[in-house]
Amino acid sequence: MTSRTDNDVDVEVLVIGAGVVGIYALYRAIEAGFTAQTLEAGDGIGGVWYWNRYPAARFDSESYTYGYIFSKELFDEWKWDEEFATQPEIERYLNHVVDRFALRQHIRTGQRVVSAVWNEDDSLWQVTTEAGETIRARWVISATGGLSVPHYPEIDGIDDFQGEGHHTGAWPHEQLDFTGKRVAIIGNGPSGAQILPAIVDIVEQVDLYQRTPTWTTPLNNAPMSDEKRAWLSENFEMVVRTLTKSPTGFMHPPAGKFSTEDSAEERQAFYEEIWKAPGFGKLTSNYYDMTTNREVNLEFCDFLARKVRSIVKDPVTAERLIPKDHLFGAKRPPFIADYYESFNKPNASLVALRETPIVRVDATGIETTEGHRDYDIIVYATGFDFGTGALTRMGITGREGLDLSTDWEDGPFDFAGFAAHRLPNFFFPGGPHGAGGGNYPRYSQDQIDWIADALIHAREHGFDRFEPTAEQEEGWMTMVETLAPQSIFSAEHSHYYGANVQGKPKKFLLNPGGRAKLHEILDEMTSTTDFNGALVASHERVAV
Ligand code: NAP
């Protein structure tokens, strides 16, 4: 395919972000013959896998299902060490991909975008970096991620702490030495829960500050064997088919049955098997009605609660670790090895913040209503401004002066989780309403593939504008609002509702229709040459 330049612009496709999604977007743009460039705020490649370098950060989707599946050569040549790879290997992998497909020359790191303004007369975006450079682009793909803006808790005195205080999502590059240190971990989501077992054996003391207990289950990781690698290579086509078709983007075998098909005894035996299933298999290989039948879910929760009581020796701690306010899967569950076991170590303790809330952080540690504890390190594993955080901070101004940060004050209003009316030629794959609750890169790949195909189609048919119509956007948002109550991620106090960030409107931020709905709506759009009015030839341009 030949490359086409455009007189008005510096680059045809500008990608913002060099994480898993941005790298793929750049690859597709270059492969399609567009001039393309990526601006990345970090000083390296990897997005969340660049920033989240805390101890034991790792996938909880199987490595080969999270990595790219667009190239069999790449799939075969990267030999994952483990079923669930750790952050250093993931960062190496993403750097390898960038070099292997000659993408690095198109990526500029250390370039934070601070504004993106639509120029109606020229039909292009003017994107400005923190350093003051402006780049004009015909199309912008903002692959800025749903979990890229760290959320620090609203606790008095955080800045007064004289020790090391770090958020998991902005972890320092110089590895912190935890040996012999007194450590506080605030937050017990997947990040906080991953760190605890990783450091408990080397620290003097570690206290986990928990506000809401989670249904944490073992990851059940394993080294990748040569046999498994050979099997994956031989079955590559099937793997791609499964990952592309599966509603969740995983390869876990389905249970193939409803709970009613088993006796009470058989169900307990089945739950034991599920406890040993890898990662998200506890959800995706569970009974079909686990997430739709409250009684079945309660029975499984009861099984999990007994597991916690059997592992954690102190009965008071065990009770505090058992969720009382949500069913299994209603909040995104962490999958972590040795989490509950860590609380049996003499140097680990649980601080139940519902009983003894934090009063303040001060120079030497943390004061709760129960007293003061001194620390050398405080880890803020307190999550992210999910879904909208990056986009509403990027100074995005669309058509007719649309200011995205104010337009989304009551929650994001978008189309297909990657575009919006009055934001012509601007795509944000992996944004709000993007993921459906499953293997994130597989959802994002669906979006990127569609966007790349749409740009190729636009070029071939002489269109230079893509903008979902108000009706298309409303149709999508009606779907989101109608189906949100049926989503398994129904706990309204979770970050999937933005509830972890004070003042953020409580709006469902995933795609509750999943991949099926996404494809149905996009296929309907592409059934016409002008995408039912979303594609427009607005501007006479000379291609050279
Ligand atoms: P998270 O799931 O949002 O958890 C944040 C934790 O911080 C929660 O326990 C929350 O308590 C607590 N918290 C927030 N504000 C607090 C406050 N003011 N005082 C006390 N506690 C507070 O964040 P995360 O663990 O970083 O995970 C975010 C997402 O990243 C996950 O959903 C997942 O998609 C991804 N992730 C994946 C992996 C992996 O295994 N691959 C690892 C890490 C993260 P409440 O529950 O009470 O709000």
Side-chain angles (χ1 to χ4, degrees), residues 30-175:
I30 299 283
E31 188 210 22
F34 292 103
T35 58
Q37 188 182 117
T38 293
L39 299 176
E40 162 58 52
D43 288 329
I45 302 298
V48 293
W49 299 110
Y50 171 82
W51 296 104
N52 289 260
R53 39 205 323 124
Y54 59 81
R58 65 166 75 239
F59 286 153
D60 59 7
S61 300
E62 282 79 356
S63 311
Y64 44 90
T65 69
Y66 192 104
Y68 299 109
I69 52 171
F70 65 83
S71 155
K72 177 158 178 14
E73 291 72 30
L74 170 66
F75 189 82
D76 284 348
E77 77 197 9
W78 189 266
K79 306 211 178 320
W80 293 105
D81 288 341
E82 297 171 272
E83 287 279 330
F84 300 94
T86 55
Q87 181 273 336
E89 184 179 10
I90 301 163
E91 193 181 8
R92 283 200 305 278
Y93 167 74
L94 293 173
N95 274 280
H96 169 76
V97 173
V98 160
D99 289 329
R100 190 186 189 296
F101 295 98
L103 301 177
R104 198 174 292 276
Q105 59 186 302
H106 304 284
I107 301 175
R108 291 168 58 204
T109 54
Q111 302 290 328
R112 184 174 291 279
V113 170
V114 292
S115 99
V117 179
W118 173 249
N119 180 325
E120 177 70 12
D121 292 339
D122 297 329
S123 271
L124 54 80
W125 282 93
Q126 298 200 116
V127 175
T128 307
T129 66
E130 207 165 36
E133 187 184 348
T134 295
I135 294 156
R136 297 168 308 158
R138 183 69 59 207
W139 311 97
V140 174
I141 301 179
S142 183
T144 36
L147 293 160
S148 53
V149 177
H151 167 65
Y152 289 84
E154 305 79 9
I155 299 172
D156 283 347
I158 284 182
D159 294 337
D160 298 339
F161 184 57
Q162 296 297 303
E164 298 263 8
H166 298 289
H167 193 285
T168 50
W171 201 257
H173 267 246
E174 317 71 47
Q175 273 307 320

Side-chain angles (χ1 to χ4, degrees), residues 54 58 60 153 187-191 194 211-212 331 381-384 495:
Y54 59 81
R58 65 166 75 239
D60 59 7
N188 55 306
S191 304
Q194 272 181 341
R211 190 163 62 182
T212 316
K331 262 180 107 162
T382 44
F384 299 85
H495 64 284

Side-chain angles (χ1 to χ4, degrees), residues 15 35 50 106 136 147 159 170 221 269-270 315 349 426 485 504 521 524:
V15 178
T35 58
Y50 171 82
H106 304 284
R136 297 168 308 158
L147 293 160
D159 294 337
N221 191 12
F270 179 71
S349 85
F426 194 98
K504 190 166 171 168
I521 287 171
E524 211 285 307

Side-chain angles (χ1 to χ4, degrees), residues 215 300-310 318-319 322-323:
W215 291 114
F300 186 56
C301 289
D302 187 52
F303 168 86
L304 295 177
R306 275 185 278 120
K307 277 285 181 202
V308 178
R309 290 185 193 109
S310 72
E319 285 316 306
I322 296 170

Side-chain angles (χ1 to χ4, degrees), residues 314-375:
D314 173 34
V316 176
T317 303
E319 285 316 306
R320 284 178 174 147
L321 285 166
I322 296 170
K324 310 287 186 303
D325 66 348
H326 65 277
L327 297 174
F328 179 71
K331 262 180 107 162
R332 199 278 202 196
F335 304 107
I336 319 281
D338 299 326
Y339 177 65
Y340 296 118
E341 287 81 350
S342 300
F343 293 100
N344 292 333
K345 310 267 171 159
N347 61 337
S349 85
L350 182 73
V351 181
L353 293 176
R354 302 261 182 228
E355 296 163 39
T356 54
I358 295 175
V359 177
R360 68 176 61 81
V361 173
D362 60 22
T364 56
I366 297 177
E367 183 186 331
T368 66
T369 51
E370 164 190 63
H372 186 278
R373 298 189 196 192
D374 286 345
Y375 293 112

Side-chain angles (χ1 to χ4, degrees), residues 118 125 397-403 407 420-424 467-468 473:
W118 173 249
W125 282 93
T397 308
R399 199 164 56 74
E400 297 169 5
L402 171 120
D403 172 353
D407 197 61
H421 184 56
R422 294 207 286 153
L423 280 189
E467 181 186 340
E473 189 176 65

